[in-house]
Amino acid sequence: MSGRTVDATRAGRSAERGDRTLVTRLRALAALGHWGVLLAHPWVFRTAMIVFVVFGVLFAVVLHYPIVDGNGTVPYVGTIAPDEHRHIANVLFYAHRSITAGPIIDSVPTRDLAMGEVLRFPSYFYYYVMSFPVKVMINEALPYSWIVVFLRLVNLVAGLLGLVVARRLLKATGFSESIAVLSVVLLAFTGRYMWQSAAVSYDPAAMTLFLLCLYFCGRFIHAPSPATLAKAVVVGGWAIIGKYTFVPFVVVAIVVAVVMVAQRDGLRGVVDVRHALSSFRDGVRRRTVGTIAWVLAFVVAAAIIVERFGVNLIVYRQFNPDCDKLHTHQQCLTFDIYTRNYNAERNHDLAVLSGTPQTPFDLLEFAGRWCTTYFQSIFFYRDRNSTWAVQPVVALLGALVFVAACIAVLLTLRSILRTRGFVWAVAVAGVYVAAMFVFNLQTFLRLDNDFAFSGRYLLPVLPLIYAVAIVAAIAFWRSLPSGWRQVAVVPVVVVVLVVLVLYSAPVAFFTYARDPSWYTDTALRLLPHWLTGAGSGA
């Protein structure tokens, strides 16, 4: 072994010991005392997961579902997942095709564009896979409602796995067991996460894969190895296949992790071809089945990405080509989102050309509206047809906790950013949130409308945000003089507990879903009228 290699190894080990010491200090700083011991008990997490599944099954079974046919009939109705009608329609579309037809589509009738652009849509894999069990159910002439509930329950399993992975991710990043469990419990009972998991959508599976990619990145930062980095790349590829909008965030997560390891251990800590080949040969000998499975997963993912993403980028200059690059404008008007965007952009351009006075753009006002919309739509169901508003007292209490958390994070950020794992977590979450803000800002400036303003887009990094906020809140609380804490402890605990109850998924839903149109006929017969509001509408 050369002197340079020995020095790099020693430096890496020294840095690793330093990271471990800092992690220990941060965990002590954010210790929850007796509550931490309770939260770290295995049954706390298991009980939370059981309750999550119970409520998920309830929502999957009792909430109204759209009636679609996979052949152009795709009416929009407010359901627990935005665009659930299109997700179901696309699954049915593939289910009606022959098994030998495969996932590649050459042409579609104009009516089918009501489901969205399907020829080169990059996130088709979920639809294609789920079409196989649905095809069996259709051949057995099972009721349509059974198909929808089956698809919802499959997604619920994906959502449950996402919570398990999120816990491991937070621990791999350096958060204590108690902080990881508390963050995941908060995520489980966040309305949008629970409802999305209990609805038909490609989001739960794609988000779980994205969290798994982040988990391997966290492990790689803590203990670099070629196998861990390779797993992050493979799983990240599948997350991108599940939902194409993860492309930049998977890249950012992996690149930042690699840069941090290279900064600590040198390039040989990341790019050591001999070690990588040796690890691969050792994996083939000792874990033959597992290694071959990972290789196959990489090959299949690479093939799908090249066929769909690569071709789209070369031919259409977009990962997800605009509808009018594949069909005529008139045909694309069948797709309601295309029509909505076209009309909004056209009205905006006509107003500018005609000299119609434009409302001056106020960035601070936009940022405030963006934060309010995202915050409320994470915890309360909001779709494009929603007319109700969150009760003022509930909104005020939530805003108070949100602002306090932001202040705590800003004041304690320096003390938090002491380990590479925490820096990586804050960087990934920060880039993700900033990207969503910029995307919504560009959309608003182009279309003059708040399109795609929804807290569900922040769900993939919400466990990281929760964990950082909790650590910051505890650190800030411990920095206060003891006299202040004695005075503030009771009102702070009361406000936090009230907000946790009011913003929990079951309370946040049933408080506002006071109309029979939210529920299936079976639910209206079985659930009490005071819960569904059916009595007032009868």
Side-chain angles (χ1 to χ4, degrees):
M1 184 179 290
S2 67
R4 184 177 298 177
T5 302
V6 172
D7 290 342
T9 302
R10 288 175 178 171
R13 288 175 179 171
S14 176
E16 187 176 336
R17 284 196 299 269
D19 269 3
R20 287 176 180 172
T21 303
L22 285 169
V23 168
T24 303
R25 290 177 182 173
L26 284 170
R27 285 178 172 174
L29 179 67
L32 293 170
H34 296 301
W35 288 106
V37 175
L38 176 62
L39 285 168
H41 195 284
W43 275 106
V44 172
F45 180 75
R46 294 170 189 168
T47 302
M49 296 304 97
I50 291 171
V51 176
F52 170 80
V53 170
V54 169
F55 276 109
V57 171
L58 174 67
F59 284 125
V61 172
V62 305
L63 293 184
H64 176 70
Y65 48 80
I67 306 297
V68 301
D69 62 8
N71 289 306
T73 304
V74 196
Y76 177 82
V77 292
T79 57
I80 52 176
D83 304 328
E84 186 180 35
H85 60 309
R86 275 202 295 275
H87 291 302
I88 297 174
N90 274 276
V91 172
L92 293 175
F93 172 79
Y94 281 99
H96 290 316
R97 287 165 55 87
S98 169
I99 293 180
T100 59
I104 299 177
I105 302 168
D106 296 323
S107 62
V108 292
T110 300
R111 69 173 186 275
D112 286 346
L113 293 180
M115 301 183 297
E117 202 296 298
V118 298
L119 290 186
R120 300 297 305 174
F121 184 57
S123 303
Y124 70 91
F125 194 75
Y126 166 81
Y127 305 140
Y128 181 66
V129 170
M130 294 311 302
S131 71
F132 288 99
V134 169
K135 188 186 296 289
V136 174
M137 299 177 77
I138 291 174
N139 292 339
E140 294 296 325
L142 295 180
Y144 173 81
S145 60
W146 288 28
I147 294 175
V148 174
V149 171
F150 166 76
L151 291 172
R152 285 180 171 182
L153 293 180
V154 169
N155 272 10
L156 182 61
V157 174
L160 178 64
L161 292 175
L163 296 174
V164 174
V165 174
R167 175 168 164 259
R168 294 194 174 190
L169 160 64
L170 294 176
K171 290 177 65 178
T173 306
F175 294 97
S176 67
E177 173 71 12
S178 56
I179 298 296
V181 170
L182 180 56
S183 302
V184 172
V185 170
L186 290 177
L187 178 65
F189 288 91
T190 296
R192 181 59 72 184
Y193 186 86
M194 183 176 286
W195 304 326
Q196 180 172 280
S197 299
V200 183
S201 165
Y202 49 51
D203 287 282
M207 176 176 167
T208 297
L209 289 168
F210 178 68
L211 291 174
L212 189 58
C213 172
L214 298 187
Y215 163 69
F216 284 121
C217 288
R219 276 185 54 185
F220 179 73
I221 293 172
H222 178 70
S225 76
T228 304
L229 181 59
K231 289 176 181 178
V233 172
V234 172
V235 176
W238 280 104
I240 290 169
I241 291 170
K243 189 173 183 180
Y244 75 94
T245 52
F246 281 134
V247 170
F249 308 115
V250 166
V251 172
V252 167
I254 294 175
V255 168
V256 172
V258 168
V259 168
M260 287 185 169
V261 171
Q263 183 186 34
R264 182 187 64 197
D265 302 339
L267 287 177
R268 287 188 66 86
V270 179
V271 186
D272 190 338
V273 178
R274 283 187 188 175
H275 180 48
L277 293 175
S278 175
S279 297
F280 179 73
R281 286 194 296 267
D282 184 61
V284 171
R285 284 196 305 268
R286 297 185 180 184
R287 298 174 296 276
T288 305
V289 175
T291 303
I292 292 176
W294 279 106
V295 172
L296 288 177
F298 171 76
V299 171
V300 174
I304 294 174
I305 290 173
V306 169
E307 185 279 326
R308 192 56 50 116
F309 292 79
V311 172
N312 284 356
L313 197 58
I314 293 172
V315 177
Y316 305 106
R317 300 293 188 269
Q318 290 175 296
F319 286 129
N320 182 30
D322 293 332
C323 180
D324 55 4
K325 290 187 176 181
L326 295 149
H327 311 276
T328 67
H329 167 69
Q330 198 63 36
Q331 290 174 321
C332 289
L333 290 176
T334 307
F335 183 26
D336 62 344
I337 299 298
Y338 177 90
T339 302
R340 180 200 70 181
N341 292 348
Y342 169 75
N343 288 335
E345 190 167 8
R346 183 172 180 271
N347 291 337
H348 173 74
D349 293 343
L350 287 175
V352 172
L353 289 174
S354 63
T356 303
Q358 302 293 304
T359 304
F361 175 70
D362 187 336
L363 182 60
L364 290 178
E365 186 275 334
F366 174 85
R369 191 170 73 253
W370 186 85
C371 289
T372 301
T373 303
Y374 264 70
F375 181 74
Q376 291 190 3
S377 59
I378 285 177
F379 299 99
F380 300 92
Y381 181 77
R382 308 286 294 171
D383 72 350
R384 41 183 140 141
N385 293 338
S386 294
T387 56
W388 56 268
V390 178
Q391 296 169 358
V393 175
V394 177
L396 179 62
L397 289 174
L400 182 64
V401 172
F402 173 73
V403 171
C406 290
I407 292 174
V409 170
L410 291 175
L411 293 179
T412 61
L413 195 59
R414 264 185 92 178
S415 63
I416 292 176
L417 299 180
R418 295 291 183 87
T419 71
R420 284 174 172 80
F422 280 29
V423 170
W424 172 83
V426 171
V428 170
V431 168
Y432 195 105
V433 174
M436 290 311 309
F437 180 83
V438 171
F439 169 77
N440 288 140
L441 177 61
Q442 290 177 331
T443 301
F444 177 79
L445 294 175
R446 183 170 61 92
L447 302 179
D448 256 350
N449 279 278
D450 295 347
F451 295 150
F453 272 45
S454 176
R456 69 188 177 99
Y457 297 120
L458 296 185
L459 288 179
V461 293
L462 201 55
L464 295 175
I465 294 174
Y466 279 158
V468 170
I470 292 170
V471 170
I474 296 172
F476 177 70
W477 177 259
R478 289 177 176 272
S479 70
L480 295 176
S482 59
W484 290 23
R485 283 184 284 172
Q486 290 176 359
V487 173
V489 62
V490 173
V492 167
V493 169
V494 170
V495 169
V496 170
L497 289 177
V498 169
V499 168
L500 288 177
V501 172
L502 293 177
Y503 280 70
S504 65
V507 176
F509 180 82
F510 287 110
T511 300
Y512 298 93
R514 308 288 300 156
D515 188 280
S517 63
W518 280 102
Y519 304 96
T520 61
D521 293 336
T522 302
L524 292 175
R525 289 195 302 268
L526 298 179
L527 294 178
H529 289 174
W530 59 264
L531 189 64
T532 63
S536 60

